[in-house]
Amino acid sequence: MAGTLAHQALVRIGKIFKVEAEISGRPPDERMRVRQARTRPMLDDLKVWLETTLAQLSAKSPMALAIGYSLSNWTALTRFVDDGRIEAHNNAAERALRGVAIGRKNFLHLGSDAGGNSAAVLYTLIGSAKLNGIDPQAYLRYVLEHIADHPINRIDELLPWVVAPQLQAAWHPPVAKAA
């Protein structure tokens, strides 16, 4: 295989993700069978290639560090092969954090650690509302409408998973785009 080492690695990884694209949306047991039959041999080959390549590189080179990281995390990186429920990538998590990364400069107006803590609480409530199938705006409106008369020692009654049954029916979360 010609090309730089990075290119060679990406070609190998690309073949693995081609299989993932083919089995996307299929039932977990089917995904696991296909992964074990097709993906596992490619991963075994990739691991041998990484180990062989690492032995030929200067220990402090960026490529050696990247390969070393991959090999030291091999079990976690390849766990998806044995469990059809696990995705081979973390695109959903990265999409969830994109708003935080994009808004980083906008958060400078928070002005203090207390402001940062308040923003963290709001992000957590909004994220929890989404995870519980609630429109975040409807959830925050509900909390603001009820919190003034609500006993402080029962504040947990206003958490997203508690009020979800009352608010879920009206909200249909946006469908995530495939990465």
Side-chain angles (χ1 to χ4, degrees), residues 85-159:
R85 298 170 300 170
I86 300 174
E87 295 296 333
H89 52 75
N90 66 347
N91 290 347
E94 295 214 3
R95 274 194 303 275
L97 291 173
R98 184 174 293 141
V100 174
I102 290 172
R104 193 173 296 135
K105 287 185 181 177
N106 295 333
F107 303 147
L108 294 174
H109 72 278
L110 298 173
S112 68
D113 288 345
N117 288 335
S118 296
V121 168
L122 284 173
Y123 270 111
T124 301
L125 286 173
I126 290 169
S128 295
K130 289 178 180 179
L131 287 172
N132 284 279
I134 306 170
D135 175 7
Q137 186 175 358
Y139 169 68
L140 292 175
R141 183 180 322 109
Y142 178 90
V143 170
L144 292 173
E145 288 171 354
H146 292 84
I147 199 163
D149 299 326
H150 202 83
I152 189 70
N153 62 340
R154 293 186 4 230
I155 200 75
D156 57 327
E157 294 173 359
L158 295 176
L159 292 171

Side-chain angles (χ1 to χ4, degrees), residues 13-124:
I13 294 167
K15 290 177 183 177
I16 293 165
F17 279 99
K18 184 176 181 191
V19 173
E20 286 301 303
E22 293 171 16
I23 63 173
S24 178
R26 294 193 186 166
D29 58 331
E30 183 180 343
R31 287 170 40 141
M32 185 180 73
R33 279 194 307 275
V34 171
R35 288 170 173 171
Q36 289 178 346
R38 295 178 54 198
T39 304
R40 185 178 306 282
M42 288 188 276
L43 286 168
D44 292 343
D45 179 60
L46 176 61
K47 186 175 185 188
V48 169
W49 181 84
L50 289 170
E51 291 167 339
T52 303
T53 302
L54 183 61
Q56 300 168 6
L57 296 172
S58 168
K60 298 292 183 185
S61 72
M63 181 60 100
L65 295 174
I67 290 174
Y69 177 82
S70 297
L71 291 172
S72 67
N73 290 286
W74 192 255
T75 301
L77 290 171
T78 61
R79 189 170 316 279
F80 73 98
V81 174
D82 296 315
D83 188 339
R85 298 170 300 170
I86 300 174
E87 295 296 333
H89 52 75
N90 66 347
N91 290 347
E94 295 214 3
R95 274 194 303 275
L97 291 173
R98 184 174 293 141
V100 174
I102 290 172
R104 193 173 296 135
K105 287 185 181 177
N106 295 333
F107 303 147
L108 294 174
H109 72 278
L110 298 173
S112 68
D113 288 345
N117 288 335
S118 296
V121 168
L122 284 173
Y123 270 111
T124 301

